[in-house]
Amino acid sequence: MAGYFHQRKQQHWPHADSVEDFRRNLAAVRERIADACARTGRDPASVRLLPVSKTVPEERIRLAYAAGCRELGENKPQEACRKWEAMADLTDLRWSVIGHLQTNKAKLVARYAAEFQALDSLRVAEALQRRLEAEGRSLDVFVQVNTSGEASKFGLAPAETADFLARLPGFPSLRVRGLMTLAIFSADLERVRACFVTLRELRDQLRGKLPVGISLDELSMGMSGDYEVAIEEGATVVRVGQAIFGARSTPDSYYWPQEVNHSTDEETP
């Protein structure tokens, strides 16, 4: 795990500006995924790599596509929508929204997203259901759980998750696939691991109590700095951005708010 600590501490990820660069970075990430799976006796095919393209311009995303990326994760619905429209010619490119969603942005997600990984309120579920019905579409969703207990993070408390899941059959356009979490950002490996353990154990506790039509087969956890640990603890989806695209100049606080404020969660006509 020495390589993990060095990568997390230094946060040095090689920039990708060519198809060859992307192939190199993707191969390196997949090798680390395979190594993490080997340590726990898992099949690497059981882990889905979701490249995260937030802040990445269209021309570089097209290079990543040429290198083999066929799905992308984005935090900002508006940014993702612009990219979806600009790259409509890439008909097999699948978009996943992985950041907090305000209800007034549900109409965007309902238009283009194949997956939404941050469902944590009935208001958002209602807004998505209404918009998806209008679009004649359905959407794969993950329920976001706050496993670190930090006030700065969105997500349900673990103790609230069962009751929330029990309400979701009322939104038939939402196909619940699993749970998602963001670990605490810390150099202390055990604090990071504890977040992933919490999500896995919660999933295991809930499996026998799920409503009809609800599935928790997937665990989305782990990003560029901690995806190997997440895999060791059962992740089936890892959301990797900087290790593929290179370090971002925009701070994470722009995409992961430091203060949770639901007052702006308003539906506009």
Side-chain angles (χ1 to χ4, degrees), residues 79-220:
E79 179 180 347
C81 189
R82 288 194 299 270
K83 292 174 178 178
W84 169 70
E85 291 174 338
M87 289 178 276
D89 57 303
L90 306 180
T91 56
D92 59 342
L93 187 54
R94 185 175 185 266
W95 296 89
S96 176
V97 176
I98 61 175
H100 177 69
L101 181 65
Q102 296 178 347
T103 54
N104 62 349
K105 302 299 188 302
K107 58 186 175 183
L108 296 178
V109 173
R111 285 183 62 203
Y112 66 83
E115 180 178 83
F116 174 53
Q117 290 203 10
L119 182 64
D120 65 355
S121 79
L122 292 176
R123 292 182 65 215
V124 170
E126 290 166 355
L128 284 171
Q129 176 66 31
R130 184 167 64 254
R131 297 295 185 175
L132 287 163
E133 284 179 352
E135 295 283 342
R137 302 182 66 232
S138 57
L139 182 68
D140 288 346
V141 298
F142 288 58
V143 172
Q144 183 173 356
V145 181
N146 184 342
T147 55
S148 69
E150 296 170 283
S152 61
K153 285 189 171 66
F154 289 100
L156 298 164
E160 300 171 339
T161 307
D163 288 343
F164 184 75
L165 288 168
R167 302 286 297 277
L168 293 184
F171 308 99
S173 295
L174 304 182
R175 298 187 299 255
V176 182
R177 300 305 194 197
L179 305 176
M180 183 273 262
T181 199
L182 296 167
I184 190 170
F185 186 79
S186 172
D188 184 342
L189 177 62
E190 293 313 308
R191 294 182 70 196
V192 174
R193 188 182 299 275
C195 295
F196 302 142
V197 170
T198 295
L199 195 71
R200 171 172 47 80
E201 291 181 344
L202 176 64
R203 187 273 311 275
D204 293 346
Q205 292 166 10
L206 294 172
R207 267 185 161 166
K209 311 171 187 176
L210 294 175
V212 175
I214 301 295
S215 167
L216 295 184
D217 293 335
E218 304 289 343
L219 292 180
S220 177

Side-chain angles (χ1 to χ4, degrees), residues 1-4 7 26-47 227-233:
M1 294 299 289
Y4 164 83
Q7 185 185 51
L26 285 164
V29 170
R30 288 181 177 128
E31 182 178 3
R32 287 180 175 272
I33 289 173
D35 289 346
C37 286
R39 288 194 291 271
T40 51
R42 296 183 60 191
D43 181 352
S46 69
V47 179
Y227 66 91
E228 295 164 82
V229 178
I231 290 168
E232 291 173 356
E233 297 303 336

